[in-house]
Amino acid sequence: MEPNGDSGRSVKSNETLFAIIESLKETDGAGVTELADRLDLAKSTVHKHLVSLERNRYVVNEGGRYRLGLEFFNTGVYVRNQYEIYHAAKNRIDRLAEETDEAAWLIVPENGLGMFIYGVPRNESFSFDSTIGTWVYLHANSAGKAILAHLSDEEVQQVIDRHGLPAQTEQTITDREELFADLEDVRERGYAMNFQEDLRGLHAIATPVIRDGRPIAAVTIAGAANRLTEERIEDELYESLLEAVDDIELRLVYG
């Protein structure tokens, strides 16, 4: 059967559109020529897509320089509000941050990665604005490892096959066998730890939110390495974290 030419062109056009959006995000805005050079595209192609994006409020044209528009924010708020876990966890995460005086975050897995969808920064451990909406590799993050530990070995391998085990710092686990051993430790302890594996100077602890036997999210407490010592995690923070997640899971069941 001959491939559908119109379908192929449509897919290519969509890929170009996404590339333009990502490039605008990376550059904090750009003109047609800059985008065309950056993406190795014809200026007419870039301009056509930008006009369409502007017409639909996804970009703003400021004197020939285009930046992403607030329609993306509108869409993002809508998407987050569709997640029941966000509504079930939000107030409890606020409380957790207040109780521990450390940053508390909600991470949700999707397509083999994790995204920060809500959090409360404390002690300037994180920049709130630059963290919400950020994707993280599951293997290099305490929340991610808490989630992976409650997936089957086959599912974990699928994540590795898709995203690899890239190093974020010199402490990141980049070996498959080492990761599986760490995940076994997570299951035995009941929580995952991150000692500067995704960010230098940062320690974190996380445990998953389980629903119907599946990890649908993870809650993490994160802070400066000198404050979040292993001793404090074991003696103080784990109990607070577990209580918070228990409350969230109950709310998911009973509303």
Side-chain angles (χ1 to χ4, degrees), residues 60-157:
V60 176
N61 181 357
E62 296 178 330
R65 186 172 182 84
Y66 293 83
R67 62 171 175 81
L68 299 181
L70 286 172
E71 191 63 29
F72 281 105
F73 179 72
N74 181 32
T75 301
V77 170
Y78 166 80
V79 171
R80 187 171 71 171
N81 283 339
Q82 302 313 298
Y83 282 83
E84 188 178 0
I85 182 62
Y86 166 68
H87 300 284
K90 181 178 181 296
N91 290 341
R92 193 59 182 85
I93 287 177
D94 291 344
R95 242 177 74 197
L96 180 62
E98 183 176 355
E99 291 169 358
T100 62
D101 198 30
E102 298 291 352
W105 301 90
L106 177 68
I107 290 87
V108 171
E110 191 169 271
N111 295 324
L113 296 172
M115 177 174 279
F116 290 86
I117 71 166
Y118 184 71
V120 180
R122 306 284 284 199
N123 293 310
E124 300 181 350
S125 298
F126 279 90
S127 168
F128 180 82
D129 290 336
S130 64
T131 302
I132 294 298
T134 299
W135 290 108
V136 292
Y137 290 106
L138 298 180
H139 73 285
N141 181 279
S142 60
K145 290 194 291 183
I147 291 165
L148 289 175
H150 289 78
L151 299 178
S152 68
D153 287 354
E154 181 181 359
E155 289 173 304
V156 174
Q157 187 58 55

Side-chain angles (χ1 to χ4, degrees), residues 184-229:
E184 181 61 32
D185 290 341
V186 171
R187 284 187 286 271
E188 292 178 3
R189 281 195 310 264
Y191 59 92
M193 293 186 291
N194 164 17
F195 293 143
Q196 305 188 69
E197 293 172 45
D198 60 350
L199 287 173
R200 292 180 182 88
L202 184 82
H203 285 179
I205 172 179
T207 193
V209 178
I210 304 294
R211 188 175 196 183
D212 299 326
R214 299 284 298 175
I216 62 168
V219 177
T220 184
I221 300 170
N226 65 325
R227 291 198 311 272
L228 266 70
T229 61

Side-chain angles (χ1 to χ4, degrees), residues 164-254:
L165 297 172
Q168 305 302 293
T169 72
E170 59 275 9
Q171 302 301 323
T172 306
I173 295 175
T174 58
D175 177 78
R176 178 188 179 279
E177 296 305 322
E178 186 180 351
L179 176 63
F180 274 93
D182 192 37
L183 297 180
E184 181 61 32
D185 290 341
V186 171
R187 284 187 286 271
E188 292 178 3
R189 281 195 310 264
Y191 59 92
M193 293 186 291
N194 164 17
F195 293 143
Q196 305 188 69
E197 293 172 45
D198 60 350
L199 287 173
R200 292 180 182 88
L202 184 82
H203 285 179
I205 172 179
T207 193
V209 178
I210 304 294
R211 188 175 196 183
D212 299 326
R214 299 284 298 175
I216 62 168
V219 177
T220 184
I221 300 170
N226 65 325
R227 291 198 311 272
L228 266 70
T229 61
E230 188 169 358
E231 181 180 10
R232 185 180 174 213
I233 285 173
E234 293 175 350
D235 294 346
E236 175 191 342
L237 297 179
Y238 169 56
E239 185 176 343
S240 296
L241 179 62
L242 191 61
E243 288 176 357
V245 170
D246 284 345
D247 289 346
I248 292 168
E249 289 177 344
L250 284 172
R251 184 165 184 182
L252 283 170
V253 173
Y254 298 107

